[in-house]
Amino acid sequence: MTTDDLTAAQADAARWRYGFFVVLTGIIVILVAFGAAVFATKEFATMFAGVCGVIGTIIGAYFGIQAGQSGKARVEMELHKAHELAVRLAAYVGTENAPKVIDDVLGSRRRSASRP
């Protein structure tokens, strides 16, 4: 594992950990407010529906954002690796051999893409 991969993994773990604590704190605050409101008004069922909706929204947003960020980071890492490989290969091939290599590698794709 390279240092970039290790740093990305640590950042991903920190994002999950701190996000979890923020969501957990928010849920606890909502439940405390719910308990206080039920104690004051004695209307459990009406308030419980609202609390379920809010907590469901918070949890859904948390997992949706985490999954999206994780996928985005993975794609950016793969893009960076592919770009680095392309630059290294271009430097290795050199300008005098580039047209031949491009035709050898991408020639069949160009011809098949232009056909109807």
Side-chain angles (χ1 to χ4, degrees):
M1 188 177 249
T2 66
T3 56
D4 289 341
D5 294 339
L6 183 60
T7 303
Q10 290 172 344
D12 193 42
R15 186 177 66 241
W16 276 93
R17 183 176 50 250
Y18 294 127
F20 174 75
F21 288 130
V22 167
V23 168
L24 188 62
T25 302
I27 290 172
I28 290 170
V29 168
I30 290 170
L31 290 175
V32 168
F34 168 71
V38 168
F39 182 73
T41 63
K42 308 287 191 242
E43 292 186 25
F44 177 80
T46 306
M47 291 186 184
F48 185 71
V51 168
C52 286
V54 170
I55 290 176
T57 301
I58 290 172
I59 292 172
Y62 169 72
F63 284 113
I65 289 170
Q66 294 299 335
Q69 288 295 325
S70 177
K72 179 181 177 251
R74 201 173 17 234
V75 166
E76 286 176 348
M77 184 174 62
E78 290 298 321
L79 178 64
H80 177 71
K81 287 179 182 178
H83 176 61
E84 183 179 342
L85 178 64
V87 169
R88 287 176 185 262
L89 288 173
Y92 180 75
V93 167
T95 56
E96 62 277 350
N97 296 329
K100 181 184 179 311
V101 171
I102 290 172
D103 287 341
D104 289 347
V105 173
L106 298 177
S108 62
R109 287 190 200 166
R110 285 192 214 157
R111 283 191 283 274
S112 64
S114 64
R115 291 183 197 163

